[in-house]
């Protein structure tokens, strides 16, 4: 099992099939708040859906194409962070993340993102990392800003969220920064 301890309260663990029930419960309990920004909520209706997601992430990890890790806070699953694949030719990747209801405002995701950034630059020897957020998702956009990412642009109508398109900000960080 892959475990990365961030501090005495926070650790990242590679998602495993045995976490499917916990992941589904967190998703289901947070459905209303997550649905505002994440397009996949309607496809996650059962524990089996979470199990299938985790199976796909383990395949991603086995192909050396990134990972998805649970963010654990005081032993409880609080959210997920991971890479949207790795472009090895260009030594780049992008980070995605979400937190369940009740875990926001504790600095968990900022610390988790910093740990993933450090891992990408120091262990994977990547050169560039992106984070994209919906322009109206102020809490999510604050994380890359806090970590020194530069806002590089705005993508119009970049994502379909249930009944409308939303624009995205693109934040980038390169190793020399």
């Amino acid at each position: 099992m892959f475990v990365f301890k961030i501090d005495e309260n926070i650790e990242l663990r590679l998602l495993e099939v045995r976490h499917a029930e916990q992941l589904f419960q967190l998703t289901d309990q947070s459905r209303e708040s997550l649905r505002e920004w994440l397009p996949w909520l309607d496809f996650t209706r059962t524990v089996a859906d979470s199990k299938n997601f985790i199976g796909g992430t383990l395949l991603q990890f086995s192909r050396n194409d990134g990972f998805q890790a649970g963010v654990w806070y005081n032993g409880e699953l609080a959210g997920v962070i991971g890479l949207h694949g790795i472009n090895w030719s260009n030594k780049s990747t992008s980070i995605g993340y979400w937190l369940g209801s009740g875990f926001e405002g504790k600095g968990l995701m900022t610390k988790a993102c910093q740990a993933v950034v450090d891992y990408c630059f120091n262990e994977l020897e990547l050169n560039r990392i992106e984070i994209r957020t919906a322009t109206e998702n102020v809490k999510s956009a604050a994380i890359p800003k806090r970590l020194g990412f530069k806002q590089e642009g705005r993508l119009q109508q970049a994502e379909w969220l249930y009944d409308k398109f939303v624009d995205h900000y693109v934040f980038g960080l390169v190793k020399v920064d």
Side-chain angles (χ1 to χ4, degrees), residues 36-160:
E36 185 174 4
W37 305 116
L38 299 173
W40 47 263
L41 269 294
D42 288 354
F43 303 105
T44 307
R45 291 286 177 202
T46 66
V47 173
D49 295 330
S50 293
K51 197 175 287 189
N52 287 336
F53 167 75
I54 293 171
T57 70
L58 292 172
L59 184 59
Q60 175 193 18
F61 184 70
S62 73
R63 291 189 318 245
N64 197 29
D65 193 28
F67 63 90
Q68 302 297 315
V71 178
W72 300 80
Y73 178 65
N74 293 328
E76 188 177 357
L77 183 60
V80 175
I81 188 169
L83 304 180
H84 296 131
I86 299 173
N87 182 327
W88 288 105
S89 298
N90 292 311
K91 296 188 174 213
S92 64
T93 191
S94 64
I95 298 174
Y97 49 81
W98 61 269
L99 278 175
S101 297
F103 292 99
E104 304 97 337
K106 301 178 187 308
L108 303 177
M109 198 52 74
T110 299
K111 289 179 181 179
C113 274
Q114 183 63 66
V116 170
V117 166
D118 291 345
Y119 176 77
C120 287
F121 285 151
N122 300 322
E123 300 297 323
L124 298 179
E125 298 181 354
L126 298 179
N127 184 60
R128 176 178 170 76
I129 302 170
E130 283 185 8
I131 295 176
R132 296 182 181 196
T133 68
T135 56
E136 295 180 13
N137 190 342
V138 176
K139 289 180 183 177
S140 187
I143 293 169
K145 290 176 184 175
R146 248 181 246 123
L147 296 177
F149 282 69
K150 293 181 178 122
Q151 186 176 322
E152 298 178 333
R154 181 183 181 131
L155 304 175
Q156 292 183 330
Q157 298 186 11
E159 184 177 36
W160 177 255

